[in-house]
Amino acid sequence: MSSADLRAISQLDEASRKDIAQWVENEMAQAKLRSTIHNFTEICFRKCVTSIGTQTLAKTEELCLQNCLNRFLDTNSAIVKLIQEQNK
Amino acid sequence: MAFFGKDSEASSTQTQDVKQRVMQEAAQELAVADVTELINNMTKVCYDLCFPNPGPILTSADSKCTEQCSKKFMAAWNIISQTYASRLRQ
C-alpha cells in the first residue's frame, strides 16, 4: 500500500477505518491459509509424485496426497501435545 | 499503525472511493503474492522432477514433462486444499 493510501485512510471517519481494518484482517487470514496450502502441496507432491508421464494424477497418487497431509497434520498435533506436556 | 492517525472527516462519496481503492489495491497485492508463491513452488518441484541431470539444450521431452508436472501440481493443490478443508471441519 502506498503512503498516499495510508494518508487517505488516516483521514477517513472511524467507522470506515474499522471496516477496512476488519477487511484487512480477513484477507490476511485467507492469504495465510492459501500460503499454508501451498506449503503442504509442495511437501506432499514431492513425496507422492515421483514420476511424470501423464498430466492427471493416478488414483494411488491422489490417495497418497490425502494420507500425506493427514499424517503430516497428525505429526504436528502430536508434537504440539508433547511440547505442552514437557512444559507442564 | 498509520491507519489510525488523525480524524478529519472526508465526505461520504470520497470515503467510499478511498475505501474501494484501498481494498482493490490490497487485494491485488495479495493476489500477486499468492500466484508468485504458487509459481515458485511449482518451478522448484517440477525442475527437480524433470531435470535430474540438466542438459545443454531444452528438449521437447523436457517441455512436455514441465507441462505435465504443472498440471499434476495444480491437481495436487486441489486435493490438498479439499483434504485440509475437511480436516479443519472435524
Side-chain angles (χ1 to χ4, degrees):
Chain A
M1 226 175 285
S2 68
S3 58
D5 287 335
L6 292 176
R7 217 172 308 121
I9 293 170
S10 74
Q11 281 165 13
L12 294 175
D13 58 278
E14 197 179 336
S16 304
R17 290 203 308 261
K18 269 194 178 146
D19 276 358
I20 292 176
Q22 179 65 55
W23 180 85
V24 167
E25 201 175 310
N26 239 317
E27 291 293 310
M28 293 304 280
Q30 281 182 45
K32 201 176 161 201
L33 178 69
R34 281 195 300 270
S35 181
T36 305
I37 295 170
H38 287 315
N39 189 23
F40 291 157
T41 304
E42 183 182 351
I43 292 168
C44 292
F45 193 89
R46 285 190 189 279
K47 218 180 248 295
C48 296
V49 182
T50 49
S51 70
I52 305 295
T54 54
Q55 50 178 268
T56 51
L57 291 167
K59 202 77 209 140
T60 49
E61 289 170 333
E62 286 185 13
L63 204 62
C64 177
L65 287 164
Q66 290 169 2
N67 292 337
C68 169
L69 178 63
N70 280 318
R71 298 299 80 74
F72 186 89
L73 295 173
D74 290 342
T75 306
N76 180 251
S77 45
I79 286 172
V80 168
K81 224 190 231 166
L82 284 168
I83 301 279
Q84 279 172 343
E85 272 163 25
Q86 269 172 23
N87 288 337
K88 264 180 197 162
Chain B
M1 241 194 304
F3 278 25
F4 306 100
K6 61 179 178 178
D7 202 9
S8 59
E9 289 188 14
S11 76
S12 80
T13 42
Q14 262 181 328
T15 298
Q16 282 312 313
D17 283 354
V18 170
K19 264 171 78 172
Q20 214 172 22
R21 188 166 47 79
V22 163
M23 286 180 184
Q24 242 168 32
E25 279 180 24
Q28 177 76 19
E29 277 178 40
L30 287 169
V32 169
D34 184 51
V35 80
T36 302
E37 194 175 358
L38 176 71
I39 290 172
N40 286 344
N41 283 355
M42 204 189 272
T43 303
K44 283 187 286 177
V45 167
C46 292
Y47 177 77
D48 284 350
L49 261 175
C50 295
F51 299 89
N53 301 299
I57 50 154
L58 185 75
T59 67
S60 65
D62 292 337
S63 306
K64 197 173 167 203
C65 182
T66 307
E67 190 191 331
Q68 288 175 333
C69 180
S70 70
K71 286 183 176 156
K72 282 186 117 171
F73 194 88
M74 281 317 304
W77 199 94
N78 287 328
I79 286 177
I80 292 292
S81 150
Q82 283 160 16
T83 309
Y84 191 42
S86 65
R87 182 80 182 219
L88 289 178
R89 277 196 298 271
Q90 280 172 18

